[in-house]
Amino acid sequence: MTQVLLRMLFTLLLTLGVGGTTASQDPPPEDPGRPAWAIGTHLATWSQGQIPDIQDNPELSLGPVLITTDAERDRLLNSQPLGPDNDLTQIAAVDLTASVLAVAGYHSCMEHGDVWTDGVVVWWDAQTAAGSEHISCAWAPFTVDVTEVPRSAFSDEIALVTPPWDH
C-alpha cells in the first residue's frame, strides 16, 4: 500500500513539474491592471490643419502639460496663433481652484487624446479609434487638446503619469 501511495505521489509531482523534470506550461496572461476610464471635459481642439503655425507656439509642446495657475492659463490664452479668431471663453472660465487644464500636443492621423484614470493615478494618452488602426495617413497634423480635469481626480499630487502600458 505504501508503494502505491509513493508511486501516486511521484506521478503527481512529475505532472506538476517538480522532482527533476519540468513541465512546459504557458505563462499566465499579463495583468491588464486596474480598469481605467476617461475623465474630464474636453474644451478645445486645435489642429495644424486649422492653424498652420500652431506647432510654433512656445506654449504648446509635444506631450501633456498641466496648467494649474491663472498665470499659466493667461500665458496660454495670450499666446499666438491661438487667438483672436478662436473662442477661448470656455478655457478662460475654468475655475482653477477646482480644476486643472490638461493641454496635450500630439501628431494626429486617426488618434484622439484623452485624460484617463484608474482611480489612483491620472495620465493622458492619444489612442486610435477602433477600426482605424490600419488606415495610412499621408499627413498627421500637430494637434492640441485642452481638457478640464477636476482636482479631485488626483491623489496626493497634481501630476500626470506615464500611461501604464508605456513602461
Side-chain angles (χ1 to χ4, degrees):
M1 174 90 160
T2 305
Q3 285 186 337
V4 172
L5 286 174
L6 285 173
R7 280 190 186 157
M8 288 175 58
L9 181 59
F10 182 72
T11 303
L12 178 64
L13 290 173
L14 285 176
T15 303
L16 294 175
V18 179
T21 62
T22 57
S24 63
Q25 297 177 347
D26 291 334
E30 287 189 32
D31 180 3
R34 299 168 57 97
W37 57 93
I39 59 170
T41 303
H42 183 81
L43 299 179
T45 297
W46 303 308
S47 170
Q48 197 172 11
Q50 304 159 323
I51 307 169
D53 298 334
I54 194 166
Q55 196 166 2
D56 298 331
N57 186 321
E59 295 298 319
L60 304 173
S61 61
L62 194 57
V65 174
L66 287 177
I67 293 181
T68 60
T69 68
D70 290 330
E72 292 169 338
R73 178 180 46 201
D74 290 345
R75 274 195 310 274
L76 172 68
L77 294 177
N78 293 326
S79 67
Q80 294 297 323
L82 299 182
D85 296 335
N86 291 293
D87 184 9
L88 305 174
T89 55
Q90 279 190 306
I91 297 169
V94 170
D95 177 5
L96 291 177
T97 62
S99 298
V100 298
L101 296 171
V103 180
Y106 59 103
H107 290 278
S108 175
C109 168
M110 300 304 294
E111 295 82 7
H112 175 74
D114 284 306
V115 179
W116 298 84
T117 188
D118 62 4
V120 177
V121 295
V122 180
W123 65 89
W124 177 89
D125 191 37
Q127 297 181 345
T128 304
S132 302
E133 300 90 354
H134 302 292
I135 295 175
S136 178
C137 297
W139 183 45
F142 185 71
T143 301
V144 177
D145 287 326
V146 181
T147 304
E148 177 183 2
V149 182
R151 286 180 180 261
S152 61
F154 298 90
S155 296
D156 299 331
E157 182 181 351
I158 305 283
L160 296 173
V161 301
T162 303
W165 46 85
D166 284 351
H167 291 287

